[in-house]
Amino acid sequence: MSDMTLTLKSVCKSRGKLCVLDDVDLSLAPGERVALLGHNGAGKSTLIKCVLGLTSFAGGAIHIDGARPGSADARRNTAYLPEAVSFHPALTGREQLSLFAQLSGAGGDVPGLLDRVGLDDAMDRRIGAYSKGMRQRLGLAQVLLGRPKLALLDEPTSGLDPISRQDLYAIIDELAGQGTAVLIASHALTEVEARTDRIAILRKGVMVADDTLANLSDLAGLPIRLRVRARENPEALAAHLGGNRVNGAAVEMLCSPADKMQALRRIAAMGEAVVDLEMTPPRLEDLYRHYAKEALQ
Amino acid sequence: MTRFLAVTRAELLILRRNRWLLVATLIMVLFALALTFAGSAPTGTLGVDMLTVSVASMTTLSVYLAPLLALMIAFDAIAGDVDRGSLALLLSYPAGRGEILLGKFTAHLAALAFAMTVGFGTAGALAAWFGGAGSESLVALCRLILTSILLGAVFLALGYLLSACAGGSTAAAGMSAGLWLIFVVLYDLGLLGAVVMDQSGTFTRSVFPWVMVANPADAFRLWNIAATEGVAMASGMTGAAQALPVWAAPASLLIWPVLALLLARAAFRRVEP
């Protein structure tokens, strides 16, 4: 266990009667990228704040590279990007990052980091004039200060355009490459599925899944949704394919990943009768619903 | 050790850039000048120099203005960061909460000291130039500036306390206005009422001066008045000052900032961003 950068062992936290975190286990190895998924209010931010030592927790234990949350060692080794981060509007990007560099005690190449996140032109402008995406980039620049052992990113993609997102994931890969364990909290599966090593799903404070995406999908055996639009006779199409009719001319059917190709061949064989085909892989919601149900049983 | 200085540097940049420093200094200069020249009429009748009268007028001004200016910076110090969501980030750094608070306090006190020194200094210099000054009135001016900074320190720390308890900038601003009203206006009104009701009984003679000096704003007034005979004459407020030992007012004004800072530190520790 000691080679793990972050370990949480049966962590519990409640606010009044509400149980925000219930017996949560999680561990991150150095260089590992883990997505922490969950809807709003699932407990993602609370979990991160527990790890940062900003809020107390009732039961269990958290260790950051062997140190207690909130201790000087833990804070030195941890970088954090809050959700929808904001800074004092009167300071410039360079001044704000210099402040963080001095506070971290590690120093660092401030203009170089601002250049790295694409703020080289804006570093001497006031943060008040920054867009939401630029503030997010500035937040990301401070994560890179002082080679942290653990990076906690809360909704890092919010407010970023698609190209900035690509940059963000390149930076996350770079962090992981230098041995930083990265925990990315998000509520969108599609954003993180390709770029993380493991996915942990939190639902109402309970960790309902913790595995690779492929394993999670296989275990769940979630169906793929096929929506076929008929040219003129949806009744016949529905009867032939064995699906349900939805909004007029369309037929919807579900098939398991193993049967997908066979179903597609049957649809293709119908030739002119089919106008359009839409295929939806299982979404985060479906995964939640599956793992939530499993947890209840 | 130098981490709190990093916070101080950033806070000073903010005060300079959002023009707080400029505006506060201008307010101090204008009010001090206006009071000095409007209040210089009784110079001849009392037989004191113009600087002494000026210091007496500015003492009355500072009782109102020093707490107000201090609360105006302090109310946002913690609540503002909570509102912006940047407090959690700030606290995830190795700098402790005490260091952050100390850094902000150092910067805010320096800015306040600058505004006080420039404001009272300008008015004092002009009064001395036009109406003459003795060594005693110069000491009174220095005492006024130093005690004003102390009074400002008290209300900076009380402002942090409110800022930590309020949970939001707007609430903190409202609570600060209430605090100012209580300490500077209502407290004295209440005491005045009590004295009138008591009709020179035990309360007026033995309790009242102590209750009065417990308020930092009144302690500030008493210290400046009791120390200089001329100022006391010019302000017409000697009774209460004579009923107390000499150390009472300075002790109150020196204990308050420490006490308020400790309270603010304790309240800040309980803030969960």
Side-chain angles (χ1 to χ4, degrees):
Chain A
M1 270 332 237
S2 58
D3 54 338
M4 286 294 177
T5 304
L6 172 69
T7 46
L8 280 85
K9 239 187 206 161
S10 44
V11 170
C12 295
K13 156 107 187 151
S14 48
R15 283 209 176 92
K17 277 184 183 170
L18 188 70
C19 194
V20 190
L21 292 176
D22 187 4
D23 207 18
V24 170
D25 289 301
L26 183 69
S27 57
L28 267 75
E32 199 176 21
R33 298 162 302 173
V34 174
L36 178 65
L37 301 178
H39 281 305
N40 298 329
K44 306 186 299 282
S45 294
T46 308
L47 188 146
I48 287 180
K49 282 184 177 168
C50 283
V51 174
L52 286 168
L54 292 176
T55 184
S56 61
F57 49 96
I62 299 178
H63 290 288
I64 300 114
D65 203 39
R68 267 185 322 105
S71 66
D73 277 339
R75 285 193 293 185
R76 203 172 9 256
N77 288 330
T78 311
Y80 171 47
L81 176 62
E83 186 181 356
V85 67
S86 174
F87 306 96
H88 201 290
L91 293 176
T92 67
R94 187 205 292 264
E95 288 160 356
Q96 181 69 65
L97 196 60
S98 302
L99 171 64
F100 285 133
Q102 284 161 347
L103 286 181
S104 75
D109 172 21
V110 168
L113 283 178
L114 288 168
D115 192 31
R116 174 74 188 81
V117 297
L119 285 176
D120 44 336
D121 294 332
M123 67 170 92
D124 290 317
R125 267 191 269 151
R126 293 188 192 188
I127 297 170
Y130 280 19
S131 68
K132 196 178 171 210
M134 287 162 84
R135 288 203 302 268
Q136 196 74 14
R137 283 159 177 269
L138 181 57
L140 199 59
Q142 60 86 28
V143 170
L144 298 172
L145 277 170
R147 289 179 160 261
K149 287 187 178 167
L150 172 67
L152 305 164
L153 314 178
D154 200 351
E155 306 281 353
T157 53
S158 68
L160 290 183
D161 56 63
I163 294 173
S164 307
R165 271 174 213 202
Q166 291 306 311
D167 293 346
L168 168 78
Y169 283 109
I171 287 171
I172 290 175
D173 289 348
E174 195 180 300
L175 273 171
Q178 70 180 32
T180 304
V182 188
L183 184 68
I184 307 151
S186 180
H187 55 233
L189 178 67
T190 45
E191 287 194 352
V192 290
E193 57 187 348
R195 297 298 206 125
T196 49
D197 303 311
R198 200 145 51 83
I199 286 177
I201 300 180
L202 206 55
R203 188 183 175 279
K204 290 185 180 166
V206 183
M207 194 67 87
V208 289
D210 180 7
D211 210 334
T212 62
L213 179 67
N215 281 354
L216 287 181
S217 300
D218 283 354
L219 278 172
L222 289 176
I224 294 163
R225 199 179 295 269
L226 293 173
R227 184 174 281 203
V228 187
R229 218 165 76 223
R231 180 166 299 280
E232 48 206 9
N233 195 352
E235 294 288 348
L237 193 71
H240 182 75
L241 291 170
N244 301 320
R245 271 190 61 187
V246 282
N247 42 346
V251 173
E252 198 170 78
M253 54 186 284
L254 301 172
C255 70
S256 67
D259 299 336
K260 183 174 76 176
M261 287 316 294
Q262 202 197 338
L264 285 179
R265 275 192 286 273
R266 269 168 65 203
I267 293 165
M270 294 178 76
E272 290 291 308
V274 176
V275 185
D276 196 10
L277 168 69
E278 214 175 273
M279 188 164 70
T280 320
R283 289 169 307 156
L284 181 57
E285 270 81 325
D286 306 318
L287 266 179
Y288 276 139
R289 211 163 290 141
H290 176 82
Y291 283 101
K293 245 184 272 164
E294 196 182 60
L296 286 178
Q297 279 162 7
Chain B
M1 200 47 214
T2 55
R3 281 196 293 246
F4 85 92
L5 286 176
V7 178
T8 303
R9 200 170 311 141
E11 288 290 324
L12 277 176
L13 266 173
I14 290 170
L15 287 177
R16 232 175 53 208
R17 205 158 287 157
N18 64 15
R19 304 221 165 71
W20 185 93
L21 195 59
L22 181 71
V23 171
T25 310
L26 267 181
I27 289 176
M28 287 310 298
V29 170
L30 288 178
F31 272 90
L33 281 180
L35 274 180
T36 297
F37 288 100
S40 62
T43 320
T45 47
L46 287 171
V48 292
D49 57 40
M50 187 171 165
L51 181 56
T52 305
V53 181
S54 164
V55 167
S57 311
M58 290 193 291
T59 303
T60 313
L61 167 77
S62 195
V63 169
Y64 296 99
L65 219 46
L68 189 66
L69 289 176
L71 287 171
M72 268 169 53
I73 339 179
F75 84 88
D76 201 43
I78 295 163
D81 276 327
V82 172
D83 279 357
R84 277 190 296 278
S86 50
L87 187 64
L89 180 56
L90 198 58
L91 293 179
S92 76
Y93 274 86
R97 294 184 186 212
E99 283 177 286
I100 292 171
L101 201 62
L102 182 66
K104 289 190 181 230
F105 180 69
T106 313
H108 295 165
L109 194 64
L112 215 52
F114 178 82
M116 298 285 175
T117 311
V118 171
F120 293 140
T122 311
L126 283 173
W129 178 263
F130 285 111
S135 59
E136 202 193 348
S137 52
L138 278 177
V139 172
L141 179 66
C142 291
R143 188 186 303 112
L144 169 69
I145 292 173
L146 286 177
T147 48
S148 295
I149 295 169
L150 269 179
L151 184 61
V154 174
F155 282 87
L156 279 178
L158 288 175
Y160 300 149
L161 175 64
L162 293 184
S163 195
C165 295
S169 242
T170 324
M175 285 162 76
S176 297
L179 185 86
W180 182 83
L181 206 61
I182 289 170
F183 272 88
V184 175
V185 182
L186 297 180
Y187 194 89
D188 289 1
L189 278 181
L191 280 185
L192 192 65
V195 168
V196 169
M197 297 266 287
D198 188 51
Q199 294 186 334
S200 296
T202 0
F203 173 79
T204 311
R205 270 178 281 123
S206 47
V207 185
F208 163 73
W210 290 103
V211 179
M212 187 166 168
V213 85
N215 179 344
D218 288 322
F220 163 83
R221 219 187 320 232
L222 285 175
W223 188 354
N224 279 290
I225 284 162
T228 316
E229 217 175 301
V231 176
M233 255 201 299
S235 63
M237 247 190 84
T238 41
Q242 279 161 359
L244 284 167
V246 199
W247 52 263
S252 170
L253 206 53
L254 287 169
I255 290 169
W256 263 101
V258 179
L259 186 72
L261 265 182
L262 288 176
L263 284 174
R265 171 81 182 81
F268 188 29
R269 199 197 304 269
R270 286 177 42 236
V271 173
E272 269 191 23

